[in-house]
Amino acid sequence: MGVTLLTQVSRRYFRHAIPLAVLSLLLLYLCARSFREWSLPSSALGGTRNPSAGDLRPPPRAFTARPRPSPGVVSGCRSWAQSCNPEGPPPVQVRRQSGPLEAPKWKEPPCEGPQGVLGRVMEPFRASLNPEGDVALSQYLAGWRALVRFLTPLGSIFAFATDEASAKVTALEARVHGPEAAHYSSLAAMAAWERRAGLLERPGVAPRDPARSSGSRTLLLLHRALRWSQLCLHRVAAATPGGPDAGVQCGDAYRTALAPHHPWLVRQAARLAFLAFPGRGRWLGLACPGAGETEARAALARAAATLEAVYNRTQGLLAERGLLGLA
């Protein structure tokens, strides 16, 4: 019986000794690795000890293997270190691999392309904003030609407005391409020339023959009409479901931009014309054929932003030269 008891005790001891031995070896390994990290050469801490030949022998392979970083640890850092300077670029930077990083290119809808409805309107207007801070007249008038073509199918109210705009565009084009074309390359050049030549009207005094208006006065009238078009496009694009329809919004734009400069009879005719104004769907369908409503509204809003940029530059140039009161 004593032998049996001894055998059972030995087996129980052996069964517990194996885990204890494994744990002891693991602790010994961790202590050795920690000791290696703490006992760096004194030169790393500012010392000047020269290493001996024995110091140059490579440490055991088990002590030099780099552990895999645990999840969440910055690449290049040791997971047991209290502080870390990554062995590479900071995490907020990206290492360049095959060229500069580029954001995905925004794909414009067809209506804003060179052959699109809005593209044909916006391209010359954008080109009219020259780098010198002036407005190129030939491009400005080309933009107006395209804008007239876009607005004409929208109904009688635009037929009235676009007919008047077309007449003014034609009058200015005769100067831009006429004998004095050198003086009509831009708004600033035109204003300076007409002032020197005594061609400007007195503020508030309309010429007896509208066909003989100065180029500056004709451009001022187009400038006001451009503001109405810009406001109309913007309000149609930004309208919320259940809000005022396009006729109400463009009527408000007319009262803001043009009505103060029109006689009572013209204002009443315009008020009646807005009652038959096309709906928002018609606007969006003509502006961006085949596009969804969201895409068409965004394209119309960008077109309105382009017209606003042209209007603001023209407004500033006319104001600087005291030409806003010509008509």
Side-chain angles (χ1 to χ4, degrees):
M1 180 174 180
V3 175
T4 302
L5 180 62
L6 181 60
T7 302
Q8 292 177 350
V9 171
S10 299
R11 288 176 179 174
R12 185 178 305 168
Y13 175 79
F14 185 76
R15 194 166 52 246
H16 290 290
I18 291 176
L20 289 173
V22 172
L23 180 61
S24 299
L25 290 174
L26 180 62
L27 290 175
L28 181 62
Y29 169 74
L30 293 176
C31 290
R33 187 171 65 178
S34 299
F35 178 78
R36 176 178 173 272
E37 290 296 318
W38 293 337
S39 59
L40 294 173
S42 58
S43 60
L45 302 176
T48 58
R49 184 176 66 89
N50 293 324
S52 62
D55 294 333
L56 299 178
R57 288 178 297 176
R61 183 179 181 84
F63 291 166
T64 59
R66 181 179 296 173
R68 295 181 179 178
S70 58
V73 178
V74 178
S75 176
C77 300
R78 296 182 174 86
S79 58
W80 64 86
Q82 293 181 352
S83 62
C84 173
N85 291 321
E87 299 175 359
V92 295
Q93 296 179 356
V94 178
R95 189 187 301 276
R96 182 172 295 179
Q97 308 245 338
S98 59
L101 295 175
E102 294 182 0
K105 292 184 178 180
W106 171 76
K107 185 178 181 180
E108 66 180 13
C111 62
E112 293 186 81
Q115 302 304 318
V117 176
L118 293 179
R120 289 194 297 267
V121 176
M122 297 306 110
E123 183 57 32
F125 274 122
R126 292 192 191 103
S128 72
L129 300 175
N130 63 32
E132 292 76 23
D134 205 347
V135 174
L137 289 183
S138 61
Q139 296 295 333
Y140 179 86
L141 297 175
W144 254 111
R145 286 289 185 194
L147 182 61
V148 166
R149 287 193 294 270
F150 167 60
L151 296 177
T152 298
L154 287 168
S156 59
I157 180 61
F158 283 108
F160 163 76
T162 54
D163 285 348
E164 186 177 357
S166 293
K168 293 177 173 56
V169 169
T170 299
L172 265 180
E173 285 176 337
R175 297 173 183 269
V176 170
H177 303 293
E180 305 293 344
H183 302 296
Y184 289 89
S185 59
S186 70
L187 192 159
M190 173 181 67
W193 158 252
E194 292 189 335
R195 190 179 297 279
R196 290 196 307 268
L199 300 176
L200 294 178
E201 296 84 359
R202 287 183 296 169
V205 178
R208 293 182 179 180
D209 183 3
R212 300 180 64 86
S213 293
S214 66
S216 298
R217 185 177 187 276
T218 303
L219 186 133
L220 173 63
L221 298 175
L222 280 174
H223 171 67
R224 291 172 181 167
L226 188 71
R227 178 59 169 169
W228 173 47
S229 301
Q230 181 269 322
L231 287 174
C232 196
L233 266 63
H234 172 74
R235 293 180 184 184
V236 170
T240 56
D245 60 22
V248 172
Q249 292 176 320
C250 288
D252 289 341
Y254 169 80
R255 285 187 286 275
T256 298
L258 286 177
H261 309 286
H262 284 173
W264 180 87
L265 189 59
V266 174
R267 293 198 302 269
Q268 299 309 307
R271 184 178 64 83
L272 294 175
F274 280 116
L275 297 178
F277 203 74
R280 185 175 299 109
R282 172 73 169 156
W283 269 88
L284 299 178
L286 284 174
C288 221
E293 180 179 350
T294 301
E295 186 180 42
R297 285 159 64 100
L300 200 62
R302 287 189 287 270
T306 297
L307 295 184
E308 185 175 31
V310 176
Y311 174 85
N312 287 339
R313 170 141 344 153
T314 307
Q315 178 78 0
L317 291 169
L318 291 172
E320 289 172 4
R321 289 155 179 79
L323 300 178
L324 292 175
L326 286 180

